[in-house]
Amino acid sequence: MERRDDFTDLALGLVSAQSFPAIVGIADHMLKSSDVLLVGYEKIGGGHCTAVVRGQIADVRLAVEEGAERARQFGQELSTLVIPRPDPNLEKILPIGSLLAQIASKHRGHRLSSYAVGLLETRGFPAMVGAADAMLKAADVMLTAYETIGAGLCTAIIRGTASNTAIALEAGMAEADRIGELHAVMLVPRPLEDLDQSLPLAPALQRELQPLRLPLNLKQKESEPLALQAAAQERVAVEAPAETAPVKPPANP
């Protein structure tokens, strides 16, 4: 479905889970099984995350059904909701449309968009940090962000080729188990644009990936043009005829 800014005429679909990697995997499945837009995620603490999708009623119903089935495969306790025509007041107050989409699209089209996504969730921050370090040392991947959703759950998010990301996740899982509690792991080999935009990106990378902005006032040294101008003036002075005294008319005889 074409990306848009106004969602008021589209049905609303919600699927919740209790793991960030799980909800990302559920959202990926929903996007690839039906023609819907992923507006973003709502995280309310305690490990609860909700994927928000919009689209035509039939598409949203199918996406939510597929998302619920994938959540059951992940062993997730979940709740789902489909609203064919959300009330306009709902749109203005709750993050279910444009408000959430604006947050999710801040880093659209960054240089890591074509890479696979790896998510590793632990219960406890030290386990996540140790797992992230192990992943970075095990394969050619980049740590792009981390996400916390309450209940002690932390998720490290890496990007790289599908093979490198899989290798890194295996190393991270072993290290997370050694340090603390491994909660969930997810690999998305080919993320769609909607999914990519919904993932967090660390502020340091956002600054690094900003387009180059040239200064408004360019002050450049003009040494060469000045030298050419001086040479041109000298040439004019040499080529100009010598100044002669005025010729007096002959006196009348």
Side-chain angles (χ1 to χ4, degrees), residues 85-151:
R85 290 175 295 278
D87 188 271
N89 190 192
L90 211 65
E91 295 274 352
K92 292 181 180 179
I93 305 301
L94 298 180
I96 57 173
S98 301
L99 179 63
L100 195 54
Q102 290 170 7
I103 299 172
S105 62
K106 283 183 178 179
H107 47 85
R108 181 176 298 180
H110 58 86
R111 64 184 174 88
L112 300 172
S113 297
S114 60
Y115 288 98
V117 179
L119 303 103
L120 188 148
E121 186 176 58
T122 65
R123 194 178 300 277
F125 192 68
M128 188 209 72
V129 174
D133 182 66
M135 290 191 291
L136 294 173
K137 292 174 178 175
D140 185 14
V141 295
M142 177 179 286
L143 178 67
T144 57
Y146 75 96
E147 185 71 71
T148 60
I149 58 173

